[in-house]
Amino acid sequence: MNDPPPIGGAPEMSRKSYETVRRGLAKRRAAERRFRCYGLSAILLGLTSLALLFASIVSNGYTAFRQTFVGLDIYFDAELIDPQGNRSPESLATGDYGGLVKRALSKVFPAVSSRSEKRALYSLVSTAAAIELQRRAVREPSLIGKTVKVWLPADDDVDMYVKGHIRRGAGESARRLNDRQLAWIDELIEQGNIEQRFNKTFFTAGDSREPEQAGIWGAAAGSFFTLVVTLALSFPIGIAAAIYLEEFAPKNRWTDLIEVNINNLAAVPSIVFGLLGLAVFINFFDLPRSSPLVGGLVLTFMTLPTIIIAARAAIKSVPPSIREAALGIGASSMQTVFHHVLPLAMPGMLTGAIIGMARALGESAPLLMIGMVAFIVDIPHSVMDPATVLPVQVYLWADSPERGFVERTSAAIIVLLAFLITMNALAVYLRSRFERRW
Amino acid sequence: MNIIAEPQNEIKKERPKMRYLETDRPATPFAREHIKTVGAITVDSPRITCRNVNVYYGTKQAIDDVSLDIGRNAVIALIGPSGCGKSTFIRCLNRMNDTVIGCRVSGRIGIDEQNIYDPQMDVVLLRAQVGMVFQKPNPFPKSIYDNIAYGPRIHGLAANKLELDEIVETSLRKAGLWDEVKDNLAHPGTGLSGGQQQRLCIARTIAVGPEVILMDEPCSALDPIATARIEQLIDELREQFTIVIVTHSMQQAARVSQRTAYFHLGKLVEVGETAQLFTNPMHQLTEDYITGRFG
């Protein structure tokens, strides 16, 4: 270390302090270096965990976005699917479309004869295939009487096998497909009649017991309605409470008490709000169980303290000089607040609201208490319909035994995270968009 | 506090001085309770009359029994050491102290025979009459135009856009800022220099059409050139407005004001014609302050 020599002619005292400071320098620098290392390693640790989390979720989940389809030559037999013979939708709705699939499969594998083998063969194609054929027939009645190659969703076991999640090496009893079924699948693959395609069902369907028919849309719609209710209630109420407490309320023991209790509420475990919602909204007010309305009300309880605290901080950060300027030219307190304080505090308030919303979006515990954990197949169309939400859907699928739900669980988490990241990005954008300097 | 030890010399004897002799001086010389206002607190046709004004922040008394008249179309400067209550006093005149928690005002402050601390009094009306310019320039984070137009808009002073444009232009002209900003009225007011911002704030105050303008150390955040510009402006504005200015600079007080009031520890010590107060103060404390012995 090459330190410059002390300034010439320094008196004894300053020379002494110079020496003391110089001796201590190495230690100080080492301390600073050490601290930087700690900080850097903390960040690296955090980033590594995040990367591992994303890698594990994406590697488990990305296969769910593709689904195995079986290509079959379907003969749209009027006898089977049009019992009344008039091609009307009513008549077509009563047809035996499963029979079409069975016939097509038997045609591909004519050797299969025994009942049990036939059942094993027919189980290769999803039960949703019949519904899809019906829709097709109603849409295009001209197909009736013709043979068309149709790609039908395979059963989830076939899907898992094609994706490599069922291993051939294991004994027959250790897997859900027997040796004959594997042979049929191999033959179909050889013929080029098995393909992986984009899994549209996953993004358009509601929940199902069958993994290949299960989708995230029902839960996404439920989450959407729940958040709409939460936002519509908690944002105006939270902002109004914050403005009143900051700008109008007298500062005394009562407002102090209220402030302490708002901070306490922010720390209450969310499941407690769920119990409160169950007792108040469902048992007392008799609102419909499992509905996004009740879910939104419960999440409003939960997010209100967060929004109030963030909004108050945002209002506090507006410089008092702006308030004085407005008051000084004769603006009333309300004009001061709404013309000057609120616009300047808005970015902070929006950020707080969106962070509160993001927390509400990821919340599952309080919603379990009010019945949003029910198995709901239909897609909700209003806040009164029974629904579930994305995190609860993740929980439900994670609990299901079928192998197909493993990848769907991860895929649902990816969708949830995409929602969260979008909302946070929106928060950042809004903050920079509305931020004004003074 | 050895300020009274100096023996009276012959020249100073000619004018009467509030001075304690060694023999009868109290235990705490010039403590608040012993200060009595000297000089003429009244003027012929006062715009604002303050009588026995006391201000408390909680239990602390910030202003102690101040009585003072503020004359029409004249500038009165309030001077005194830091913490003497001059800012507190000026903020009483348009009730800006209302925003301070725990602040209590007693006594009478009258404008047109109306006590402004009367519960009937509407502060919005008062502040439209008595405008205020603050220590730090505080333009709104809006355009120059909107800064000026805000006051007239909330008070409904302009019937249409044309009238509003005219108010903005007149106000900016009176504040001597028009030529500098006329081409970029849409630019943010916060983008101006410190001195321009302060003149913008003055224009914003003028735009409401007040009769009295309170200025709380308007130049303390400005450089000497901007300060000179503001002082010149104050002198011009005197013709139309009554101005009360708080300042730390005695030179400034001497330059811009016709009357000066000296505050000390919340008391009004001396008030008089500016020339007289600075050249021939009557009170020992005033003399000590203006000669730089403390403050």
Side-chain angles (χ1 to χ4, degrees):
Chain A
M1 215 173 281
N2 255 338
D3 291 310
I7 300 144
E12 190 55 28
M13 263 307 282
S14 59
R15 190 170 173 92
K16 208 175 144 200
S17 63
Y18 172 85
E19 284 302 325
T20 317
V21 170
R22 205 173 63 99
R23 271 199 304 280
L25 273 186
K27 212 171 151 192
R28 284 197 223 174
R29 285 187 189 143
E32 188 174 329
R33 262 198 309 277
R34 264 199 314 278
F35 182 76
R36 283 183 190 208
C37 280
Y38 297 150
L40 203 63
S41 43
I43 287 175
L44 280 179
L45 193 70
L47 284 180
T48 317
S49 327
L50 193 67
L52 279 176
L53 175 79
F54 275 124
S56 105
I57 290 171
V58 172
S59 66
N60 272 326
Y62 80 100
T63 47
F65 297 121
R66 295 183 77 72
Q67 157 77 21
T68 305
F69 284 78
V70 182
L72 290 175
D73 292 318
I74 301 286
Y75 172 55
F76 284 87
D77 190 345
E79 265 178 49
L80 272 180
I81 63 172
D82 191 9
Q84 292 169 29
N86 56 10
R87 313 265 149 118
S88 67
E90 294 78 34
S91 164
L92 290 174
T94 55
D96 175 17
Y97 294 89
L100 297 186
V101 180
K102 287 174 187 166
R103 271 200 209 162
L105 278 169
S106 302
K107 224 160 132 197
V108 182
F109 302 103
V112 178
S113 54
S114 80
R115 276 178 74 90
S116 67
E117 279 204 318
K118 271 186 175 167
R119 202 182 310 130
L121 176 63
Y122 298 155
S123 74
L124 293 184
V125 176
S126 165
T127 48
I131 301 159
E132 205 170 311
L133 285 178
Q134 185 196 354
R135 265 191 222 133
R136 186 91 189 261
V138 171
R139 203 172 58 232
E140 300 173 61
S142 60
L143 288 176
I144 295 167
K146 285 181 195 155
T147 304
V148 188
K149 182 156 187 179
V150 182
W151 288 92
L152 297 167
D155 190 65
D156 58 309
D157 292 328
V158 179
D159 189 40
M160 287 301 107
Y161 173 67
V162 173
K163 284 171 179 170
H165 294 311
I166 292 178
R167 259 165 305 154
R168 214 163 235 279
E172 198 169 18
S173 60
R175 52 179 139 83
R176 287 180 55 85
L177 293 171
N178 61 34
D179 291 341
R180 286 299 304 273
Q181 285 174 311
L182 292 186
W184 293 327
I185 296 169
D186 289 341
E187 206 176 321
L188 281 170
I189 292 173
E190 231 162 80
Q191 294 166 357
N193 280 332
I194 281 197
E195 246 179 40
Q196 284 199 50
R197 298 178 158 200
F198 177 67
N199 189 357
K200 213 174 102 190
T201 315
F202 183 73
F203 293 100
T204 53
D207 199 3
S208 170
R209 294 265 182 246
E210 298 294 328
E212 78 274 7
Q213 296 175 41
I216 197 77
W217 186 241
S223 268
F224 173 76
F225 284 123
T226 309
L227 284 189
V228 165
V229 173
T230 309
L231 186 68
L233 289 172
S234 62
F235 191 63
I237 296 176
I239 302 284
I243 290 175
Y244 180 75
L245 286 173
E246 272 307 310
E247 299 283 336
F248 296 101
K251 300 279 177 287
N252 56 29
R253 224 170 330 147
W254 291 109
T255 44
D256 283 351
L257 194 72
I258 289 172
E259 182 166 352
V260 169
N261 279 308
I262 287 171
N263 292 339
N264 281 341
L265 277 182
V268 168
S270 55
I271 196 152
V272 176
F273 290 117
L275 282 168
L276 181 71
L278 174 64
V280 174
F281 298 125
I282 294 179
N283 289 344
F284 186 76
F285 285 111
D286 243 352
L287 291 174
R289 194 173 308 161
S290 304
S291 65
L293 177 66
V294 177
L297 287 167
V298 167
L299 292 179
T300 301
F301 279 151
M302 207 197 69
T303 46
L304 255 182
T306 317
I307 293 182
I308 294 177
I309 290 168
R312 290 188 69 176
I315 293 172
K316 271 202 189 106
S317 72
V318 175
S321 65
I322 295 293
R323 285 189 194 85
E324 286 192 330
L327 291 172
I329 52 174
S332 66
S333 318
M334 213 178 109
Q335 285 171 329
T336 306
V337 169
F338 282 92
H339 296 167
H340 300 286
V341 177
L342 210 53
L344 291 174
M346 206 32 106
M349 288 178 171
L350 285 176
T351 312
I354 290 175
I355 286 169
M357 286 295 113
R359 219 187 116 198
L361 175 65
E363 199 55 73
S364 57
L367 302 180
L368 303 185
M369 304 310 299
I370 55 146
M372 291 189 93
V373 70
F375 173 71
I376 291 151
V377 179
D378 294 328
I379 290 158
H381 292 289
S382 79
V383 292
M384 302 297 269
D385 293 343
T388 189
V389 292
L390 286 169
V392 176
Q393 188 69 74
V394 170
Y395 166 75
L396 284 171
W397 283 350
D399 229 20
S400 302
E402 287 86 355
R403 182 61 182 79
F405 279 124
V406 174
E407 58 177 33
R408 276 169 178 78
T409 305
S410 293
I413 295 172
I414 292 174
V415 172
L416 181 58
L417 286 178
F419 261 104
L420 284 172
I421 290 168
T422 314
M423 284 177 75
N424 285 337
L426 190 70
V428 172
Y429 170 75
L430 285 175
R431 193 169 45 203
S432 62
R433 173 79 181 68
F434 287 110
E435 200 149 57
R436 284 204 254 177
R437 294 179 204 297
W438 52 81
Chain B
M1 196 106 162
N2 197 20
I3 50 171
I4 38 93
E6 185 190 335
Q8 290 193 335
N9 63 36
E10 298 307 308
I11 309 152
K12 277 185 181 169
K13 231 175 194 170
E14 289 167 20
R15 53 184 156 90
K17 216 158 239 216
M18 297 296 285
R19 187 180 289 255
Y20 294 99
L21 300 171
E22 284 293 327
T23 49
D24 62 3
R25 77 172 173 159
T28 50
F30 298 131
R32 185 150 81 184
E33 54 269 32
H34 303 299
I35 299 175
K36 295 268 186 302
T37 306
V38 296
I41 59 163
T42 54
V43 293
D44 282 344
S45 62
R47 191 73 202 79
I48 303 179
T49 52
C50 308
R51 291 293 176 268
N52 310 105
V53 177
N54 290 285
V55 181
Y56 303 86
Y57 291 125
T59 54
K60 188 179 163 286
Q61 189 167 13
I63 294 283
D64 189 352
D65 199 31
V66 169
S67 298
L68 181 66
D69 279 358
I70 288 158
R72 257 170 232 281
N73 293 19
V75 179
I76 180 166
L78 312 182
I79 60 168
S82 294
C84 69
K86 54 194 190 304
S87 283
T88 300
F89 180 73
I90 199 176
R91 289 169 69 97
C92 288
L93 300 180
N94 69 345
R95 287 184 58 175
M96 281 304 281
N97 276 339
D98 287 12
T99 59
V100 181
I101 296 155
C103 179
R104 207 152 46 75
V105 180
S106 71
R108 185 178 192 285
I109 298 178
I111 296 182
D112 297 331
E113 302 310 311
Q114 163 87 32
N115 183 3
I116 66 168
Y117 279 90
D118 194 321
Q120 306 285 313
M121 184 78 198
D122 192 332
V123 286
V124 168
L125 199 62
L126 171 69
R127 288 178 190 151
Q129 271 178 290
V130 184
M132 187 153 191
V133 176
F134 297 86
Q135 183 170 357
K136 209 175 136 246
N138 54 356
F140 299 128
K142 298 170 186 264
S143 72
I144 293 172
Y145 184 93
D146 286 336
N147 260 284
I148 310 290
Y150 180 69
R153 269 192 197 131
I154 56 168
H155 294 305
L157 299 182
N160 52 44
K161 179 90 174 72
L162 227 63
E163 275 184 42
L164 193 62
D165 286 348
E166 197 174 317
I167 293 177
V168 170
E169 183 177 341
T170 331
S171 309
L172 282 169
R173 274 192 197 286
K174 280 185 193 164
L177 195 62
W178 175 250
D179 291 331
E180 291 161 61
V181 300
K182 65 181 174 200
D183 295 325
N184 30 21
L185 288 175
H187 288 205
T190 43
L192 298 172
S193 74
Q196 288 175 323
Q197 283 190 17
Q198 194 61 299
R199 276 181 282 147
L200 180 69
C201 293
I202 293 173
R204 183 176 64 188
T205 308
I206 294 171
V208 183
E211 295 166 60
V212 182
I213 301 177
L214 310 176
M215 297 186 175
D216 190 357
E217 296 183 37
C219 301
S220 65
L222 304 182
D223 65 67
I225 295 168
T227 302
R229 189 77 193 72
I230 302 267
E231 285 178 9
Q232 187 198 338
L233 177 61
I234 292 172
D235 209 43
E236 289 161 16
L237 292 175
R238 177 159 63 91
E239 290 169 19
Q240 293 175 50
F241 304 98
T242 300
I243 295 173
V244 185
I245 180 170
V246 166
T247 177
H248 261 304
S249 154
M250 281 171 281
Q251 291 83 354
Q252 183 169 66
R255 281 193 298 260
V256 301
S257 71
Q258 285 73 53
R259 282 172 84 224
T260 298
Y262 171 66
F263 282 74
H264 184 84
L265 294 174
K267 281 274 194 183
L268 177 57
V269 174
E270 180 169 351
V271 58
E273 298 294 318
T274 299
Q276 177 264 319
L277 188 128
F278 279 107
T279 54
N280 195 8
M282 287 189 279
H283 201 288
Q284 177 70 47
L285 279 171
T286 317
E287 182 176 327
D288 289 343
Y289 181 68
I290 62 176
T291 53
R293 220 166 293 181
F294 69 87

